[in-house]
Amino acid sequence: MNLILIGAQGSGKGTQAQLLAEELRLKPCASGDLLRDAIALQTPAGRAAKPYYDRGDLVPDDIVADMILDNLQQLGDAKGIILDGFPRTQRQAELLDRRLGEMGAHIDHALYLAVPRDVLQDRLSGRVVCAAHGHVWNLKTHPPRVPGVCDLDGSPLSQRSDDTPAKIKHRLDIFFGETIHLTEYYRRQNKLVQVNGNDSVEVVHAQIRARLGVERAPAPVQNEQSAANG
Ligand code: AMP
């Protein structure tokens, strides 16, 4: 199964992408993470993308598309892909459809996590990410067990450089002015699955599973060791 997650910044799409990737054995591919890695490593694409990223603007389609499309070819033993943050423009969606078509594949569903703008603004101001793997937590809606530390890998948490109030507003303007039109693109293809994202991580995830017809994985049988480890 190949999935796309469409959602504004702060809609929880990164968290849902992680959950779905584990549950459905899909390869997660987040364009923002790929860009942050390329910028940190100062690759040619990273250097070209940095000024756009720093302003909170969309990075030009060709730079992002090349990064993502190259990544699609290395699926390993995953059963498909889950794209988070790509496509963000109609041109990117068309490039993706074309490249998948050449590979004999296609997108099965585009999930849109709908969250009102005022809720997004509020959520983003509480968002923190971990230094090691970019796991996303939210001090208001999805806090880590120990403040300032990632539950999953123990690395320190901090706010992203583009989560300042002015950049948040700018990025939400771009989402509601441009990216949201992708819902029409996928609705025309009968692939759009719209879910109410204005709820807890667990409730949103349950809605997604129900809409995709995915069964809940059976609870693992606990042996003494796993019971002791909690
Ligand atoms: P994200 O982590 O998804 O919020 O993305 C962070 C930033 O990376 C965005 O504000 C853009 O500057 C850039 N970016 C991520 N994905 C894309 C994309 N598909 N097209 C253009 N720019 C992107």
Side-chain angles (χ1 to χ4, degrees):
M1 187 187 300
N2 296 317
L3 299 178
I4 289 174
L5 272 170
I6 302 172
Q9 296 75 5
S11 61
K13 66 181 163 38
T15 305
Q16 296 298 335
Q18 274 172 25
L19 292 171
L20 288 167
E22 282 162 26
E23 221 164 56
L24 302 176
R25 301 226 353 249
L26 302 178
K27 178 179 173 173
C29 189
S31 52
D33 289 346
L34 289 178
L35 282 163
R36 280 182 284 281
D37 287 348
I39 291 170
L41 292 170
Q42 298 189 14
T43 64
R47 280 202 295 271
K50 188 173 182 330
Y52 299 92
Y53 183 99
D54 285 345
R55 290 194 299 269
D57 283 336
L58 290 184
V59 172
D61 288 336
D62 292 328
I63 299 176
V64 191
D66 282 350
M67 263 185 206
I68 296 277
L69 300 176
D70 288 350
N71 212 270
L72 292 186
Q73 267 147 3
Q74 303 132 25
L75 263 194
D77 58 0
K79 292 184 172 169
I81 48 165
I82 180 159
L83 291 171
D84 161 8
F86 181 92
R88 260 165 152 109
T89 64
Q90 176 150 336
R91 177 148 181 269
Q92 291 179 8
E94 288 164 359
L95 286 170
L96 176 65
D97 278 349
R98 195 177 326 139
R99 180 67 73 93
L100 285 175
E102 285 162 11
M103 293 162 60
H106 61 271
I107 293 298
D108 294 282
H109 304 287
L111 294 169
Y112 171 42
L113 299 190
V115 179
R117 186 170 172 146
D118 54 332
V119 176
L120 293 165
Q121 193 102 27
D122 193 45
R123 280 189 188 178
L124 284 168
S125 61
R127 181 161 81 170
V128 285
V129 294
C130 84
H133 298 105
H135 295 127
V136 181
W137 303 93
N138 195 295
L139 303 179
K140 298 176 183 179
T141 56
H142 184 46
R145 278 195 299 267
V146 179
V149 179
C150 180
D151 284 5
L152 299 177
D153 60 34
S155 72
L157 300 174
S158 62
Q159 196 171 43
R160 270 172 44 172
S161 64
D162 55 349
D163 276 347
T164 60
K167 286 184 190 167
I168 287 172
K169 179 184 176 304
H170 182 54
R171 288 158 62 222
L172 290 178
D173 285 345
I174 293 174
F175 180 82
F176 287 105
E178 171 148 26
T179 305
I180 194 143
H181 298 303
L182 285 180
T183 56
E184 288 307 320
Y185 181 84
Y186 289 108
R187 186 174 285 128
R188 283 196 296 274
Q189 297 187 11
N190 278 326
K191 292 182 178 170
L192 186 73
V193 175
Q194 179 163 334
V195 167
N196 172 17
N198 191 13
D199 216 320
S200 67
V201 169
E202 293 75 18
V203 170
V204 174
H205 189 56
Q207 278 187 72
I208 295 175
R209 263 206 322 263
R211 296 290 302 279
L212 295 184
V214 175
E215 297 290 322
R216 180 184 279 280
V221 178
Q222 286 209 331
N223 60 27
E224 278 177 25
Q225 183 62 50
S226 59
N229 289 339

